[in-house]
Amino acid sequence: MTADRHTDHDYAAALVTLPLMGPARLLAVLRAWPPDEAWQRVLTRRVMADGDVADACRPDPAGVAALWAQAARTSDPTDVGARHRAAGVAVRVLGRPGYPDVLAEDHQPPAVLFSKGSLQHLEVPRVAIVGTRRCTRYGHDVAHRLGRELAAAGVVVVSGLAKGIDGAAHEGALSVGIAPPVGVVGSGHDVVYPAVHRSLWRRVAEAGALLSEAPLGARPEQWRFPARNRIIAALAQAVVVVESHAAGGSMHTVEAANDRGRPILAVPGPVVSPASAGTNRLIGDGCTPALDTQDVLVALGLDAPAPRRAGATQQQQAPVAPDGPAAAVLDALGWAPATLDQLLGRTGLRPGPAAVALAELEAGGWVAASGGWWERTGISV
């Protein structure tokens, strides 16, 4: 008996909740059978009859089948589907109406996608902005500016809603209210990670779209993030890496983007900054430098300059270069965080004039203070 569309999605959602059901295994199962039949085969331990499913479950297909059957006997697909509907989470199944075309065409599509918001935002130009969670103020400011200016140009910003670069890019995109952002997360929609981004998750879902392969209740397990990054790469028409350590997690997105033939751009950073070691290496290996928003628009095939809003902030205008003690302090600060004592030692200034210079630089947007440390911003980039 063929399940109706509503029940079909319930079965698909229930399959995702089974233990040890990763993306490759789920894709093999749902390519072998429709969701209702797959569920019945799981219950009766006949799911390994398909060779691709058995291969995906190695080295112990029989053990996996037994574990799935045991879990399925205590699960009701109707209840699973109802929980997602009650939470406002749509269940989208590969090959069924409502599944995004851009992911259906990918060679590693998520077999089931859980979403909030509108997927119509995936039908316009899209760029992924990614980078380290441990970003500098310079990286934060550049990501925020790129997110803001790309959204103002009608480009959807895709990112992972992590701390650091991801969050800054999405905050920038939300600040203009033109092209809504798209977030791809590595946990269930009810398990916000990082917790400090709860408000940002909500705003992205309300303005744009929030996507996950994970069902409600799924924790942010480490394996989910490289898997999440392939979805970001598949959605993006270009990937911009703002800051990345030499072995940063954003390099998983770069690898996935390379695998899909997506253009990759990297923002150059100070050679003394560990947070820019990965991006500088990408440029050294031949990636296109992203010096401004225009470089990204060109990579997307959109050569019109990004429009500016009326009432632009000071950082959007050409800044006036500091002079006198302020210039000396800014030069001594360089591109690594420093304390006041360190700056006094580098400049030879007394505490009073140095404090006045730092206040002047902070008021101009050149530097920012956090926890007793001073750090240069991305204003002059």
Side-chain angles (χ1 to χ4, degrees), residues 260-279:
R260 289 160 174 79
R262 302 290 196 265
I264 298 167
L265 297 88
V267 174
V271 295
V272 296
S273 173
S276 291
T279 45

Side-chain angles (χ1 to χ4, degrees), residues 15 24 38 48 50 52 55 103 132 156 160 187 230 266 295 354 362 377:
L15 286 166
M48 298 301 166
D50 181 87
D52 289 339
D55 286 343
L103 291 180
T132 179
V156 165
S187 58
R230 88 185 191 284
D295 289 337
E362 186 175 29
T377 70

